[in-house]
Structure formats: structure tokens, C-alpha cells
Amino acid sequence: MRLIVARCEVRYTGRLTAVLPEALRLVMVKSDGSVMVHADTGGYKPSNWMTAPTVIEETPDGMVVRKLRGEDRLEIRIAEVVSDSEHDMGEAAALEKDGVEAHLQEALAAAPEWCGEGFRLVRREWPTDIGPVDLMCRDSEDGWIAVEIKRIGTIEAVEQLTRYLERIRRDPAMADCRGILAAQCVKPQARVLADSRGIAWVEVDLDVLRGEREPDLTLFA
Amino acid sequence: MKLSTTREALSAQLQAVTRVASTHTAVLALSGVQLHAAAGTVELRATDLEVGLRVPLEATPERDGDVVLPARLLLDVVRSLPSDAVTLELRAAEQDVEITSGGAVFHIRTLRAEDFPPLPEAPGDSTVSVPARAFVDTVQTVARAASRDETRPVLTGILVSASGRELQMVATDSYRLSVKRTELEEALEGSFEANVPARALQELARLAQGGEDRLTVGVGANQIVFQVGGAVLSSRLIDGQFPNYRQLVPESFDHELKLAGDEFTEVVRRISLLAQKNAPLRLAFVEGEVTVSAQTPDVGEARETVPVPYSGEPLEIGFNPDFLRDGLESLGGGDVVLKLINPLRPGLIEGADGSGFLYLIMPIRLNV
């Protein structure tokens, strides 16, 4: 990763034309070829950027970044370099699931019956060719159930589980695999979409799963 | 369509139908009220596809026709009109309705009338006529126990059974169960049992406040239609098996206490003020008295001790304050019989006068 703090002017040409007038900025050049120009304000989003794959050409005035295909061109004219350093970032670790989601998976793997009566765990992170589904279980009649676990069950979670089920069901032995979305809270829109696709959903309470809190007393289940 | 009416009549009837119009819908016409003028009568209609309502409007129709207007906006406009005399006229070319009252003129764009579904007619021959007052009172006694959780639709209804001289309604949200048996003065000609959305019955209760003597009920395969006065309220019925509530009531209880209902309800109301953020209301029974207490961290605590005819080992039990208060208030005064087993088993509230009401309530676990 190359980090250049410089007084520079940035011109973008391509689908439109944009100019960032000369000012002090941070230019990040990543090893994958993506380039971002940050100001000290404006939040996390770069003022301008070019996604990989790119061709980066050093010039006496600065650098020109071009998309490998297409007309997009980012021209960075550097007036003064304050700092120019390069860092070896090593192997990037994969994004870890947020705490609640990981803990939910762990707790539900230990007690899959919270997803449905008689469920037993077959495997965590069941692989499919588009990514792993969180839990693969079997019910009391030996039917397959793919469980996707989220902190908040949204429409996107239902879409994700639908995609997994489509891949899993290609295996004739698992053609009847059912899907269950397990979340601490399932959004109303996600409930409707899940119901319309024959996907069940269940709300689970992590504190109850962990045994830190007893479930509410009810007259019937 | 053109009609003349009064601000008062229009506003009163609009208020009733606006409650039924949908507030969250992709079909815009469902957020509207349909004005239907035909054969010398005018009717206002609204539906959210679950509940439908048709109410007559005292008006002089000058031209027949149907229009659908945004319900909420129309109600706000009508309430604000400067004069009592109101005229509404459809301007087809402009796709709006002109509302004139005194010097004020409004043009409100119409919604797509084709998207507004037809509503059921008044119930036909196979109907049951029930006394309105008894029906409404029974609804209001149990309705609070119906669930508002749409994920368990079967619990959002009230199971209504009417047969002979008995009208019975049951509602439960799984934390409490409310059952009210009302004995009628005369036997009904016909019978029915249906799980009706609590919302529809609460709407019916409002409509029947007008002092009508009787209401007519017609039950179809998946729909129920009520007629009260000139209003026709229809509702889909709720599918699914209603819980077998009879087996939920324990056969025996360890403690049975007769309490002054009004006084105890007031204590519960007062102390509940300090049971916030899901904090339980605690009832600590010792020989001859009960201490009702509540505590909310960072807010405060409250306690009150009242004499009760309790005997035996001390018992502390926690309840959801709202649920306990609902049960006591549903009794509507008089002496109360409170039956308990232990802190983890349901408690029962009944009227001491054999009013046919019972309210079963699950406790909340107390950590300390």
C-alpha cells in the first residue's frame, strides 16, 4: 500500500468530467491497483477514486491512472509531496462476522432445536459453491434444513438463503432441503418474502440461548 | 357524482371509515374512502382488504357515481370547512372532486376507482341477530388479551361463539387468556363460532355505541359480516386452530383470595407507574397482607401494603403490570377473586359475583 500525502489537483475524465482543485490530500494506491483520493473531511468516502483493474503511469507531474478498459482516466498533478511511504500489508484476514452473529451461530449449533423441534446439527458452515450456509441440520424425519443466521433478518438475508437453497437443491439427495432464517429480529418485509418463498423464519434471543435469561413464561407454546 | 350534505354528517361518518382505510399499502385506492351515490342514497366505504366498512351518509345526491378520495386528507378538509353546508362534485375531466363550503373551494385529486374492491353486501338470510349491548360489552371485556403480534395471526383474533342463550368470547396472546361468558335474555335464533380479528370487533364496538338494540351477524366460509344500524362491517375470518383454552386453566389453585376489586386495581395502577422498562410488578403475600411493589433502575421504586385474607407460606410472584391491570379493569369493579399456585404457574382473576369472566395470567420470573 502506497500512501502519498501531497498538495495536488485531481482531474477525472470519462463518463463525466470532474476537477478537485489543488489542496492537501491523501492518495492511497493499493496493491490491487485501486486508487483513492481522500480529503480530511467528507467521511469515509474518497473524494475521487478508480477501482481495479487499472494502469498506473508515473509522470514528472504526478501520476495518471487509467481503467484497463474504457475511457476513465484519473490525472493527479502533484505540486508538493509532504509524505510518500509504502507499506507491506501482508495477507489480508477475511472479514469476521460481527459478534452477535457469530455467537448466535455458536449457540444455535449447540442447540439447533431452537430453530425447530427435533432438529440436529449436521455441520456448521456447510459449503456451497457460492459460499457456506451457516448451519445444515436434519429434522426428526431426516429432512435437510439449511439455516442462515443473522442478527437482523432482512430481505437481503432471505435472498441470500434463497440463493443457497437453489444451489443445495441441485444435489438430488437434497432436493427437498428446507430453509430457515434465524435472527434476533426478523423484519416484517423479510417475513412476507420468506413466507412467499416457503422459507421459515424464527426469532431467537441470544441471552436465552446462552442460558443467561430464562424464556418468558407462557400459557402455551 | 354530485351530492350535498352537512359538514357534521360527513365528518362523523368519515371519521368511522377512515379508521378502516389502509395506512400502509401499495394500492393507493385502499388508503382512500369511496363515495358511492346511487338510487337516491349515498354511502361511504373503506377497506384495507382485511376489514371493510360501509356507512350511510345523510346527503342529497344530485348525480349518481363513485369516486375514491384520500381518506385522511378528506377528513382533515371536511373538519376545517367554514360552513355547515357542503357540496361535493366530481370533475371528470380534471380527475378531481370539487368541495365547496361557504367561500372555501377545494379540488382534491381522485384515486383510481377501479382499484377499490367491491365490499360485501349486508348479511343475507342465514344470519343471527344478537343484542348489540351484550355483544359490545363482551368484546370490550376480552379484546385487550388478543395478541397484536402478526407473526401469530390466530392469536390476533377473538373466538366468538353464540348459541342458545350464551354468547362467549375468548382471546389470548399466550401470556394471558381472557374468557367472557354472557348470558342473554332471550335464546338466539341460530348459532355460530368464528375467530374474528380483534381489530374488526373493536371497530364494530365503536359503531354500535350509537345505541342500536341489535346487530346482525352473517358468517360465511372465510368472511363475517355485521350489520349495525345502517353500517355494514365485514371482516375476513382468521384461519388456523385457536388454542384449546379450556385445558389451560389449572384444575386447582393453592390460594384463593377475595379482594375489593376497585381498591386493589387502584393500588396496581399506582405502583405500576414505577414498573417501567419491562420491570415486573411484585406481589409479596404474607399472613394477612400483600405488598405490591415495583422498581425501575435509575427511575425509582414504589410499594404499598394492603390487608388481604392470605394465609400460608410467604409467596412472592411477579406480573407484567399492564397485563395485571388489564385483567382487573376488564372486570369493571366489584369484588375480585385472585387464585394462585406458585410464582411460576398461572394466576386466575375472576369476578366474585359469578359474572362469567375469567382472566388467566402467566407470571414473570423474579430474579431476586
Side-chain angles (χ1 to χ4, degrees):
Chain A
M1 166 95 72
R2 186 176 171 197
L3 301 174
I4 308 164
V5 179
R7 184 169 298 283
C8 59
E9 178 193 89
V10 183
R11 286 179 179 272
Y12 166 78
T13 53
R15 287 153 297 165
L16 53 89
T17 306
V19 180
L20 290 170
E22 188 178 304
L24 201 58
R25 296 194 172 83
L26 166 67
V27 181
M28 297 171 71
V29 183
K30 288 192 175 183
S31 58
D32 65 358
S34 49
V35 176
M36 286 156 286
V37 181
H38 279 277
D40 203 19
T41 56
Y44 67 93
K45 205 173 165 187
S47 309
N48 215 327
W49 69 93
M50 188 79 82
T51 53
T54 55
V55 177
I56 302 172
E57 189 186 335
E58 300 267 355
T59 66
D61 283 349
M63 65 173 73
V64 176
V65 186
R66 285 186 288 108
K67 278 293 252 192
L68 204 56
R69 283 183 289 274
E71 300 297 313
D72 292 344
R73 179 187 167 94
L74 201 61
E75 198 178 323
I76 304 169
R77 194 182 57 74
I78 296 175
E80 180 198 355
V81 175
V82 177
S83 155
D84 185 347
S85 58
E86 199 150 352
H87 306 272
D88 182 0
M89 309 293 279
E91 191 95 346
L95 178 70
E96 279 191 21
K97 289 190 172 183
D98 82 44
V100 171
E101 212 166 290
H103 291 145
L104 272 176
Q105 191 192 103
E106 196 176 312
L108 285 173
E113 63 274 12
W114 283 97
C115 297
E117 214 175 306
F119 282 18
R120 58 187 194 279
L121 180 71
V122 177
R123 182 179 170 171
R124 282 174 74 174
E125 303 283 347
W126 178 274
T128 78
D129 49 8
I130 54 168
V133 70
D134 289 324
L135 303 182
M136 183 59 78
C137 300
R138 298 195 93 155
D139 62 18
S140 52
E141 289 165 2
D142 264 359
W144 293 97
I145 301 111
V147 182
E148 184 58 29
I149 299 165
K150 296 286 179 204
R151 191 169 64 86
I152 309 283
T154 59
I155 279 182
E156 288 73 29
V158 179
E159 294 287 4
Q160 187 184 358
L161 181 53
T162 305
R163 289 196 296 272
Y164 287 147
L165 287 169
E166 192 267 325
R167 308 305 293 184
I168 293 166
R169 288 170 181 164
R170 288 183 178 202
D171 177 350
M174 302 182 84
D176 294 330
C177 182
R178 294 187 288 129
I180 290 185
L181 173 63
Q184 285 207 307
C185 163
V186 180
K187 295 277 187 191
Q189 300 91 328
R191 294 174 183 183
V192 173
L193 185 65
D195 290 344
S196 72
R197 293 187 179 175
I199 291 173
W201 53 268
V202 60
E203 287 186 340
V204 288
D205 186 322
L206 188 53
D207 290 344
V208 173
L209 283 174
R210 285 169 165 166
E212 290 170 1
R213 192 169 66 77
E214 298 268 14
D216 288 340
L217 296 168
T218 56
L219 291 164
F220 52 89
Chain B
M1 188 226 59
K2 185 176 180 185
L3 62 91
S4 308
T5 183
T6 62
R7 181 185 55 199
E8 197 182 337
L10 184 55
S11 161
Q13 299 301 66
L14 268 176
Q15 207 164 336
V17 290
T18 299
R19 280 197 300 269
V20 170
S22 180
T23 47
H24 306 289
T25 176
V27 183
L28 214 52
L30 295 180
S31 65
V33 55
Q34 185 186 52
L35 285 82
H36 171 78
T41 62
V42 179
E43 204 172 64
L44 303 184
R45 301 166 172 177
T47 180
D48 62 357
L49 297 182
E50 178 177 273
V51 179
L53 178 60
R54 308 157 49 141
V55 295
L57 174 67
E58 240 178 72
T60 310
E62 294 172 30
R63 228 177 11 251
D64 287 357
D66 290 320
V67 293
V68 181
L69 291 170
R72 190 73 239 174
L73 175 64
L74 182 61
L75 177 60
D76 289 343
V77 166
V78 169
R79 276 180 178 154
S80 69
L81 291 176
S83 163
D84 197 39
V86 185
T87 306
L88 292 95
E89 182 175 10
L90 172 67
R91 304 193 309 164
E94 287 83 358
Q95 295 188 335
D96 67 19
V97 166
E98 182 173 84
I99 302 170
T100 52
S101 172
V105 180
F106 288 83
H107 292 137
I108 300 180
R109 306 283 173 270
T110 57
L111 303 176
R112 280 169 59 90
E114 313 85 87
D115 293 346
F116 196 89
L119 297 186
E121 295 295 326
D125 292 339
S126 57
T127 59
V128 181
S129 168
V130 295
R133 189 70 261 154
F135 196 90
V136 167
D137 285 349
T138 312
V139 168
Q140 288 172 335
T141 303
V142 303
R144 287 192 263 197
S147 174
R148 290 176 190 82
D149 181 0
E150 293 296 335
T151 62
R152 298 182 79 179
V154 77
L155 303 184
T156 61
I158 295 176
L159 184 68
V160 184
S161 325
S163 172
R165 287 186 61 190
E166 190 178 280
L167 173 67
Q168 179 180 278
M169 297 195 195
V170 185
T172 178
D173 59 6
S174 83
Y175 299 103
R176 64 242 172 101
L177 166 79
S178 193
V179 181
K180 169 71 177 165
R181 262 186 218 100
T182 303
E183 195 167 329
L184 305 173
E185 287 176 5
E186 292 171 15
L188 300 172
E189 290 178 3
S191 64
F192 67 90
E193 180 170 282
N195 188 6
V196 188
R199 193 182 138 241
L201 290 175
Q202 284 167 314
E203 212 48 64
L204 180 71
R206 284 198 192 96
L207 289 170
Q209 304 283 2
E212 300 294 335
D213 279 348
R214 300 193 78 80
L215 58 88
T216 313
V217 188
V219 185
N222 51 19
Q223 182 172 259
I224 190 164
V225 183
F226 299 95
Q227 183 164 24
V228 53
V232 178
L233 183 121
S234 52
S235 169
R236 69 166 180 81
L237 295 177
I238 298 175
D239 277 341
Q241 187 67 42
F242 196 84
N244 183 356
Y245 59 91
R246 289 180 188 90
Q247 69 180 24
L248 300 176
V249 183
E251 283 177 3
S252 63
F253 292 86
D254 294 349
H255 304 279
E256 189 171 326
L257 312 165
K258 192 171 173 183
L259 311 170
D262 291 336
E263 188 190 331
F264 189 62
T265 306
E266 279 306 317
V267 172
V268 167
R269 274 196 201 120
R270 265 195 297 278
I271 304 303
S272 294
L273 295 172
L274 270 295
Q276 302 172 10
K277 302 176 189 169
N278 299 322
L281 191 73
R282 291 166 179 262
L283 275 63
F285 293 91
V286 293
E287 199 75 29
E289 63 181 39
V290 61
T291 300
V292 182
S293 67
Q295 180 185 16
T296 307
D298 303 326
V299 177
E301 56 272 323
R303 59 168 40 236
E304 186 167 348
T305 300
V306 286
V308 293
Y310 180 85
S311 61
E313 287 296 306
L315 167 71
E316 187 172 32
I317 187 167
F319 289 112
N320 175 311
D322 295 334
F323 292 176
L324 182 61
R325 202 177 56 234
D326 281 350
L328 292 166
E329 288 177 351
S330 295
L331 266 172
D335 284 348
V336 175
V337 176
L338 177 63
K339 297 179 179 178
L340 301 169
I341 302 171
N342 64 42
L344 300 178
R345 299 288 312 277
L348 183 76
I349 296 170
E350 284 180 313
D353 57 356
S355 59
F357 174 71
L358 73 83
Y359 188 84
L360 195 64
I361 175 172
M362 257 344 253
I364 292 178
R365 288 179 214 269
L366 297 175
N367 295 327
V368 183

